[in-house]
Amino acid sequence: MAMQITPEEAVKKIKNKSSVMIGGFLGAAVPLVMIDKMVAEKIKDLTVISIGAGYRGGGVDIGKLVLNRQIAKYITAHVGTDPNLIKQIVNQEIELELSPMGTFVERVRAGGAGLGAVVTPVGIGTEVEDMAEKIIIDEKEYLLFKPIHADVAIIKAFRSDSLGNLQYKGMSNTNPIMATAADIVIAEVDEIVEVGEINCEAIGTPGIFVDYIVQGHTYEERKEIYEALWISTNKL
Amino acid sequence: MAMQITPEEAVKKIKNKSSVMIGGFLGAAVPLVMIDKMVAEKIKDLTVISIGAGYRGGGVDIGKLVLNRQIAKYITAHVGTDPNLIKQIVNQEIELELSPMGTFVERVRAGGAGLGAVVTPVGIGTEVEDMAEKIIIDEKEYLLFKPIHADVAIIKAFRSDSLGNLQYKGMSNTNPIMATAADIVIAEVDEIVEVGEINCEAIGTPGIFVDYIVQGHTYEERKEIYEALWISTNKL
Amino acid sequence: MPKNYIAKRIAKEFKDGMYVNLGIGIPTESANYIPEGTHVYLQTENGGLMFGPKPQRGESNPDIANAGAEPITMLPGGAVFDVATSFAMIRGGHIDMTVVGALEVDQEGSIASWKIPGKLLTGMGGAMDLLYGCKEVIVAMTHTDKYGKAKIRKKCTLPLTAAGVADLIITDKAVFRVNKDGLYLEELAPGVTASEVKQLTEAEIVNIKEWE
Amino acid sequence: MPKNYIAKRIAKEFKDGMYVNLGIGIPTESANYIPEGTHVYLQTENGGLMFGPKPQRGESNPDIANAGAEPITMLPGGAVFDVATSFAMIRGGHIDMTVVGALEVDQEGSIASWKIPGKLLTGMGGAMDLLYGCKEVIVAMTHTDKYGKAKIRKKCTLPLTAAGVADLIITDKAVFRVNKDGLYLEELAPGVTASEVKQLTEAEIVNIKEWE
């Protein structure tokens, strides 16, 4: 069962040195308001767990945490979109933990699903072999990776009812998986509706996984924000 | 991309000694028409992969394959609902491969997702230790199970478009997972609609996973079948 | 013994806002005694949260059923999903409590409920995942079997469903808490004496002296 | 060299009904040249199938984007899902073809595309999953790097993205098939000679004699 709180209250759940999963995919479907609050609160030494870096070019969404030097460790599959992040990694200001993207996803899923490890053939014959334990099953080689679990997950959904049942729009990408894999799960949503308004089949994340609901930008506001971003970066 | 065929054509994809995943959960949301066709065709020596046995008491849905002695091996988590099945197992007419239900589910998922194994803490300290390999990660014991993949999966969905995009109603239970884990996937549906009629967010199994679509009973017919079954067994 | 004593006693363990998975039989019956004002969200391992009572005839939905394939209804706010999500929920520690029946339970909290060699051969179903993953495990059963033999034992004699997981044992005679150092008697059923419980319990009861 | 030669040549590999994941750059461009009457279903690893061109201004949807977070549209019959489903689809062998760029590819079909030690440090993203899981792997790239150095090598010198996975190599000079016993020249680009290709290719071309 979830509780609706303000972004100001929600950001207090994240402490210096917290590990924080951030939903979204390279800037899309990210919890923009919660990230802004984390920047405003100057929470330090964060371990950020995100499938990739922020929007291309840096300085947008998660890129703000980078510019503000709030990150000590980054667990991800891809940092290529944010030159500032790469610079801080090269300068050893940020520790980087990489895995292939599908492996990253399964590690987070395993963290939420109580599984002991991820066993995948992806990465065999590459440097990724150094990032995991190699095991042999029926004479075939696999890599064994450990699950990922976080102190806090901040995720983005379209809307929520007051029980924390979440509905997604479009590509939900990492959000439903990360909703399962943290001690405290904060969902930022476009709108909050009455219980029963979201049909049982339309619920992408049941409220059992969600602790706090935060009103984010409305859908119309997000549409404006993204159109402006896409136009200014020549994508629309 | 999927092709619509008749149940008579679809059942020809299943051969003697085929391994066949059957979607549903103890009789609910099972592909009734396809099971009836398998019975009519008397396909023999099947390896059936199903989360449990058929509807309580036996002789219904998968229970018909049992009565007809078409099964050589049963891979499952639970056979308690079908006394005929238990009898054939005890008489060693059917070989039984058990795993805990959550492990069974992950084994099927791993089979469809190209993962090498399932690593779970469930079953440690029980007889299940004899059914798997034990591995130790960070000083904690886990069991390592191999993925399950089938020759054919017959699953049940509410409806399909002509590309094989499937929408589910109610508890989709094992159907979306099994849809990923067989060489040939046959979806039995209540109705078949035009492309575009199922909203992109309502698609539970994208058509990429589905090979053949079969018109099953309509929703109203299934409602009648289940009401009659439930009333006759004192459940409604 | 008051009618439905065990089911009613289980219901006292429900706290507002809990997500709970109930085993078949007496545990499921306990949902009828959830205290007024307490909201308990029931999970069913075939893929549903917040389900309600069975529907009226003519109003059932062939795709809305519980783990026994019996018709149920979904309450407002209820969610449906597949079994991968359901068992991720169960195994991943997201469910607050499960209440299950058992053949035996022992003073280490180990539970035997799925197999009697040569007799009961149903398979473990979802029981092992539930007992491993749910935050609190309550065993609800008759104190003795039909031959009067103790079901609360020093060490289970039947194949285990899970080792060291039970938190509370509710029987028609008493309520026990399973702590790290053993079994504690917490409550006697109406009209039952401590010495009767001691006699009907094979396990050692750490605090039995306080009750005698 | 005809304009967009590589992208147009890739498009000839599309067969009706294929599910395809296209890498950024030239591979993505090839979607503009899909032959009339051929239906190709594009997958994007952030969780979409059957997407179409970018929307008009004012008609974008902040939640409909490709793997580069750029606005796209969904075609009728398109599906959206989460990344667990997306990578199950990729790694599980459900996608017919992927077309990717590369820094190097070698005669064993190994591909290097994600890292230049000390220079390019972006992380592998989804490339390793795609190259492992997709049924057919096409590498599309310029034949040589900007210094004129051969990118088709006996053995990759850069860290691999995947070992032994490439099926076809399409460059601005030629098309090669990677078989178990090595690299086969299949086609020369307009105006390109076999000896030119031989000179610009470090890898051994098994059937080069047939072309000279």
Side-chain angles (χ1 to χ4, degrees), chain A residues 106 109 113-121 133 135-138 142 144 146 168-171 200-201, chain B residues 106 109 113-121 133 135-138 142 144 146 168-171 200-201:
Chain A
E106 287 296 317
R109 183 177 180 275
L115 296 167
V118 174
V119 178
T120 173
E133 190 187 332
I135 64 169
I136 293 169
I137 302 171
D138 291 341
Y142 295 93
L144 184 145
K146 292 182 193 169
Y168 298 97
K169 242 182 142 82
M171 287 78 171
C200 64
E201 283 130 357
Chain B
E106 287 296 317
R109 183 177 179 275
L115 296 167
V118 174
V119 178
T120 174
E133 190 188 331
I135 64 168
I136 293 170
I137 302 171
D138 292 340
Y142 295 92
L144 184 145
K146 291 181 194 171
Y168 297 97
K169 243 184 143 83
M171 287 78 172
C200 63
E201 283 130 358

Side-chain angles (χ1 to χ4, degrees), chain B residues 34-154:
Chain B
M34 283 302 301
I35 293 172
D36 281 346
K37 290 291 165 209
M38 288 169 69
V39 171
E41 285 292 314
K42 301 192 177 69
I43 310 164
K44 291 282 183 199
D45 297 321
L46 294 168
T47 292
V48 169
I49 301 158
S50 164
I51 198 164
Y55 190 75
R56 189 167 296 278
V60 185
D61 66 278
I62 300 179
K64 294 181 182 178
L65 296 168
V66 176
L67 281 184
N68 215 23
R69 295 191 138 66
Q70 294 176 252
I71 304 174
K73 183 172 180 180
Y74 210 90
I75 302 177
T76 189
H78 195 254
V79 295
T81 51
D82 188 344
N84 308 311
L85 177 56
I86 293 175
K87 206 173 296 170
Q88 289 182 38
I89 291 165
V90 170
N91 292 343
Q92 298 186 313
E93 295 170 62
I94 291 179
E95 182 191 347
L96 177 67
E97 181 181 327
L98 273 181
S99 18
M101 199 172 272
T103 305
F104 172 89
V105 170
E106 287 296 317
R107 291 178 69 193
V108 175
R109 183 177 179 275
L115 296 167
V118 174
V119 178
T120 174
V122 173
I124 287 289
T126 76
E127 282 186 6
V128 174
E129 290 194 4
D130 304 331
M131 305 172 188
E133 190 188 331
K134 194 187 276 189
I135 64 168
I136 293 170
I137 302 171
D138 292 340
E139 295 172 25
K140 196 178 160 191
E141 293 182 327
Y142 295 92
L143 297 177
L144 184 145
F145 285 85
K146 291 181 194 171
I148 303 175
H149 200 271
D151 297 329
V152 185
I154 55 173

Side-chain angles (χ1 to χ4, degrees), chain A residues 126-198:
Chain A
T126 77
E127 283 186 4
V128 174
E129 290 194 4
D130 304 331
M131 304 172 189
E133 190 187 332
K134 195 187 278 189
I135 64 169
I136 293 169
I137 302 171
D138 291 341
E139 294 172 28
K140 197 178 159 190
E141 293 181 327
Y142 295 93
L143 297 177
L144 184 145
F145 286 84
K146 292 182 193 169
I148 302 176
H149 199 272
D151 297 328
V152 185
I154 55 172
I155 61 160
K156 181 72 194 75
F158 165 46
R159 56 184 195 165
S160 172
D161 66 21
S162 58
L163 292 169
N165 287 309
L166 305 181
Q167 181 178 10
Y168 298 97
K169 242 182 142 82
M171 287 78 171
S172 55
N173 60 59
T174 54
N175 290 297
I177 311 299
M178 289 187 173
T180 68
D183 292 339
I184 299 172
V185 175
I186 301 167
E188 177 178 327
V189 296
D190 293 6
E191 54 186 81
I192 300 167
V193 299
E194 293 296 307
V195 170
E197 274 197 54
I198 310 177

Side-chain angles (χ1 to χ4, degrees), chain D residues 109-124:
Chain D
S110 295
I111 297 170
S113 60
W114 73 284
K115 189 174 179 181
I116 306 174
K119 270 190 188 165
L120 178 73
L121 301 160
T122 64
M124 65 293 278

Side-chain angles (χ1 to χ4, degrees), chain D:
Chain D
M1 184 56 40
K3 193 166 167 284
N4 300 330
Y5 171 74
I6 299 177
K8 286 176 184 164
R9 181 59 192 78
I10 293 168
K12 288 190 184 168
E13 299 301 316
F14 294 135
K15 309 279 177 294
D16 195 43
M18 264 190 175
Y19 289 91
V20 177
N21 184 298
L22 298 176
I24 52 163
I26 294 172
T28 290
E29 232 175 82
S30 72
N32 299 326
Y33 306 106
I34 296 171
E36 193 91 15
T38 299
H39 294 90
V40 172
Y41 307 119
L42 300 180
Q43 199 254 14
T44 179
E45 57 265 39
N46 56 314
L49 257 180
M50 285 187 76
F51 63 88
K54 67 179 184 187
Q56 296 296 307
R57 286 188 186 183
E59 283 167 23
S60 73
N61 179 329
D63 297 313
I64 303 286
N66 66 17
E70 299 167 8
I72 52 175
T73 47
M74 294 305 297
L75 300 176
V80 290
F81 33 86
D82 67 23
V83 285
T85 303
S86 181
F87 279 92
M89 203 177 271
I90 290 169
R91 191 182 39 235
H94 303 281
I95 295 184
D96 296 306
M97 191 167 95
T98 187
V99 188
V100 296
L103 299 164
E104 293 179 343
V105 58
D106 68 27
Q107 63 196 36
E108 293 167 6
S110 295
I111 297 170
S113 60
W114 73 284
K115 189 174 179 181
I116 306 174
K119 270 190 188 165
L120 178 73
L121 301 160
T122 64
M124 65 293 278
M128 290 186 176
D129 298 274
L130 281 161
L131 294 182
Y132 171 83
C134 294
K135 289 178 199 157
E136 194 180 341
V137 172
I138 298 181
V139 177
M141 60 179 194
T142 57
H143 203 91
T144 54
D145 70 12
K146 57 181 169 176
Y147 308 106
K149 223 177 82 184
K151 292 170 69 176
I152 307 178
R153 309 186 67 96
K154 288 191 164 59
K155 194 115 191 149
C156 288
T157 62
L158 294 169
L160 295 187
T161 315
V165 295
D167 297 296
L168 201 70
I169 304 168
I170 298 176
T171 77
D172 51 334
K173 303 287 179 194
V175 177
F176 300 90
R177 170 89 35 203
V178 187
N179 288 333
K180 287 225 171 104
D181 61 337
L183 205 66
Y184 284 74
L185 178 60
E186 284 212 334
E187 206 178 299
L188 290 170
V192 177
T193 65
S195 64
E196 188 184 347
V197 164
K198 188 179 174 185
Q199 195 209 323
L200 296 172
T201 306
E202 193 215 65
E204 280 181 52
I205 302 166
V206 178
N207 65 340
I208 192 69
K209 286 248 156 28
E210 298 166 24
W211 287 85
E212 281 174 332

